[in-house]
Structure formats: structure tokens, C-alpha cells
Amino acid sequence: MKKLNLGCGFDRRDDYVNADNFKECNPEILISTRETKWLFEDNELDHILTKQVLEHVGKDYEEFRAIMKELYRITKNQGTIEIHVPHFRHDTFWSDPTHVRAFTPLTFQMMSKSQNDEWIRRKANYSMIAYEMGVNFEIINLAQVYDTFWLQKEAKGEIKRDELRQIAGRQWNVVKELQITLKTIKPF
């Protein structure tokens, strides 16, 4: 398997090609995610990890679109893209002035051709981003990483996971991070 750790920072991984735009991280490949076309071939990668990267790029939709299209281009059919981003209702998202884009699971559902087809069939009012971008990703895993404060309350038995999920839907600083794994489906 060929794997890419895109925006590796100091989290270099032995079984990945480590790429970052910050040379002090000593990446194997110096790359700016904003400047597409990346040096990878079409369908070259089996797995891409973007950990705390996508929230920093794509303030302008065209830039975001180009990045998602590039991820789609370089990932093999049935390959996976693992995305870690801060939750938009957590202080870690809003505290960093370099964070320019927030994400929810719906962001990635909009990049699913089958989901777009269902919305078209129902005449639903959603952006058909899979068609607009020419990408097709299916969510195969979605995890919410809870803030340490809430995990400690759960560990002490003060709160149950179902209650925590309900609180997370209406309160800030409960979910710290979203971890989403997408499967690439080709051809479009």
C-alpha cells in the first residue's frame, strides 16, 4: 500500500510518505496543499491521512474545490482518505486564526454521487457538490472525539455516552474533533 501523510507536521509516520509545507518538520516531500497539481500520479495512493490540515485551506470555494479534486485524482478507486478536523463548535477551531473552513458530516455527504442522486430524485434543496466538483466519496467511518473534560465525566460515571451525544448537539466544547474516513469511488 502506498500511503500519504499530507500536512504531516511533526507527526511523521514510518509507513507513509510524509509531506508538509513547513520544512522544519523535515518532510520527505515539501508541498503546499494550496498549489495543485501535486506531484503524484493519477490513482497512485491507497490511503491519505490529512490530520488537522483541511481547516487551514480553502477559504475561497475554488481553492477548496481544487484541493478536493486533487485528493480524488491521486487516490485509487476504493482508496481511503482519513480526515481529522477540529469540530466547529469547539474553542480549538475558533482560537486559531489560520482556521478558515469548518466541516460537518454533511460537508462530505455532499461529495457523494449516490447521495446527490438521491437528493436529485427527491428534488431536495442541497448543493450537488459531487457533480459540481466531479468527485465521488462515500463516508465509511465517522467518529466524534470528545473533549477531555467530558471524557473524564463519562469515565467517572457522571454521564453516559447517549447523554453526551445529546449534549454535543446543543452545547459548545463537547466534541473536540471530527474524524471522517472517505472511500474514493471511480470512475465518476
Side-chain angles (χ1 to χ4, degrees), residues 47-165:
H47 181 78
I48 300 172
L49 171 63
T50 66
K51 190 173 175 187
Q52 305 300 321
V53 174
L54 291 182
E55 69 275 11
H56 294 277
V57 295
K59 181 178 182 182
D60 172 82
Y61 175 72
E62 289 307 314
E63 181 181 286
F64 177 68
R65 179 181 184 266
I67 291 164
M68 296 311 297
K69 285 179 70 73
E70 194 67 358
L71 288 169
Y72 186 74
R73 181 187 71 79
I74 65 175
T75 307
K76 292 179 179 178
N77 180 40
Q78 304 296 307
T80 54
I81 302 171
E82 182 181 344
I83 299 166
H84 298 210
V85 290
H87 194 277
F88 72 97
R89 279 195 308 246
H90 197 276
D91 288 348
T92 56
F93 176 78
W94 293 102
S95 298
D96 187 335
T98 67
H99 290 174
V100 298
R101 180 167 291 280
F103 295 91
T104 70
L106 182 58
T107 307
F108 299 101
Q109 281 180 289
M110 290 180 178
M111 294 181 220
S112 161
K113 187 174 180 286
S114 65
Q115 182 65 72
N116 283 198
D117 290 342
E118 173 61 20
W119 289 334
I120 290 167
R121 186 189 66 72
R122 292 186 3 230
K123 297 182 179 170
N125 192 18
Y126 290 95
S127 296
M128 304 303 166
I129 293 177
Y131 280 98
E132 195 280 323
M133 287 185 177
V135 301
N136 190 6
F137 299 116
E138 291 294 332
I139 297 173
I140 58 172
N141 190 47
L142 171 63
Q144 296 187 122
V145 178
Y146 292 98
D147 186 89
T148 304
F149 172 82
W150 293 96
L151 289 174
Q152 289 172 347
K153 288 180 84 59
E154 183 184 36
K156 293 176 187 173
E158 296 173 9
I159 193 167
K160 293 185 186 325
R161 183 56 60 113
D162 287 342
E163 294 171 292
L164 191 51
R165 285 188 190 107

